[in-house]
Amino acid sequence: MGGAWDAFPDPLHLLLNPDVTVREKGVMEKCTFCVQRIRGAQNTARLEDRTVRDGEIVPACAQTCPSEAIVFGDLNDPQSRVSVMAGDPRGYHVLAGLNTKPAVTYLARVMHADLGAPPPAEH
């Protein structure tokens, strides 16, 4: 490989992603939703003369989430899975009141009462 890559023995060199900027300890980096995956899918779709299909772009966080709690897609497509989920009445946006125009929708957790349990005591 050459250069700085030689400093890392196999297979550690595979952990290095040239698309990710390494920061000092304690510095947060804004999520890019794996822009390299987005661009790759867009380029493939363009070469195949088609649009990007729903679910074709999967960021690393969504790929590794076993409960499928992270959904990614085109909010402008009303038929996409992410658009349907974003329209859920439980959806909310963090700091939306500050006109930050957040693109991430969180769904409020649903708490189910145990039907067999007695009602909580009032104080």
Side-chain angles (χ1 to χ4, degrees):
M1 287 186 206
W5 297 101
D6 291 335
F8 297 92
D10 290 344
L12 294 179
H13 71 283
L14 298 175
L15 298 176
L16 300 175
N17 183 347
D19 296 323
V20 177
T21 304
V22 178
R23 300 288 185 184
E24 292 181 31
K25 182 178 176 181
V27 176
M28 285 290 287
E29 187 71 31
K30 184 171 172 67
C31 177
T32 64
F33 297 106
C34 296
V35 70
Q36 70 276 13
R37 292 181 182 212
I38 296 170
R39 296 292 181 250
Q42 288 172 333
N43 290 339
T44 299
R46 191 175 301 115
L47 288 171
E48 296 173 0
D49 197 29
R50 61 175 177 81
T51 58
V52 176
R53 297 179 196 106
D54 186 32
E56 187 172 4
I57 302 171
V58 182
C61 58
Q63 182 180 356
T64 59
C65 182
S67 64
E68 296 183 13
I70 301 169
V71 180
F72 184 84
D74 185 0
L75 286 172
N76 295 320
D77 176 6
Q79 303 301 316
S80 70
R81 181 176 177 215
V82 72
S83 184
V84 170
M85 293 183 80
D88 188 299
R90 297 178 298 136
Y92 67 94
H93 298 98
V94 176
L95 301 177
L98 300 176
N99 198 27
T100 57
K101 300 179 183 176
V104 176
T105 302
Y106 297 90
L107 297 182
R109 191 166 137 187
V110 177
M111 303 294 284
H112 295 286
D114 185 358
L115 298 177
E122 294 184 27
H123 298 316

